[in-house]
Amino acid sequence: MTESELNRETKKPRPAWLDWVQIFAVAAVLAFVLNTFLIANARVPTGSMITTIMPGDRVIGSRLSYRFEDPARGDIIIFYAPDEPETLYVKRIIGLPGDKVTIRDGHVYLNDSETPLEESYIKEPMKPAALQEFQVPEGAYFCMGDNRNGSVDARYWKNHYVYRDKIVAKVLFRYWPGIKALK
């Protein structure tokens, strides 16, 4: 009998529970890496994004999206709220750095345009309110909910702008209660 055959015969079998521990450890490390560096998982508790995202929906965002491109008008983002830095919000980017955002007669206008912003994702017209104007600073974004009549967004925040370093991820899709690509 060779030495390797002798070693195989005398080697004790590995306990099954050790295999399970190894599987769970690898799964936990993978989940941590995914959630910390690649994706952001968020539950939307309010109706501020109705009908695009409904209360209770869960969404996945890419943490890598804005490492390779700048945030764009119309992107739905997950970010730390300007007035509540520990709270994550989900809203849509309306104003880009340097934009002048004017809200008048229930419409959004950009950079003194006479034509309102085209917003096909709005399902209900915004109720007219007092004239509001915002000058978006460099490195910041002006965000609003799609449910304009039921959204506490940049129009009402004390700190109106979301700075780029507070953006966590670009929302890609809803995965609960069913999978749906978002744009």
Side-chain angles (χ1 to χ4, degrees), residues 63-160:
R63 291 181 186 270
L64 296 177
S65 289
Y66 299 133
R67 292 196 192 274
F68 305 108
E69 63 185 39
D70 289 330
R73 189 178 336 278
D75 286 356
I76 301 171
I77 60 172
I78 301 169
F79 60 95
Y80 288 102
D83 294 342
E84 301 174 58
E86 300 298 316
T87 305
L88 290 174
Y89 279 11
V90 176
K91 304 277 186 218
R92 188 179 297 272
I93 295 175
I94 302 300
L96 301 174
D99 278 349
K100 178 182 178 185
V101 178
T102 303
I103 302 169
R104 140 179 116 242
D105 301 325
H107 297 283
V108 176
Y109 297 85
L110 296 174
N111 304 317
D112 297 321
S113 172
E114 292 301 316
T115 306
L117 181 63
E118 176 72 33
E119 299 184 286
S120 59
Y121 41 82
I122 303 288
K123 302 301 180 205
E124 175 182 88
M126 187 171 21
K127 293 178 184 165
L131 174 71
Q132 293 178 294
E133 291 185 333
F134 304 91
Q135 184 63 49
V136 184
E138 286 304 315
Y141 299 85
F142 186 85
C143 298
M144 297 173 74
D146 289 358
N147 179 11
R148 300 289 164 77
N149 298 320
S151 177
V152 177
D153 52 38
R155 297 170 288 171
Y156 307 111
W157 301 334
K158 179 182 172 196
N159 300 296
H160 299 291

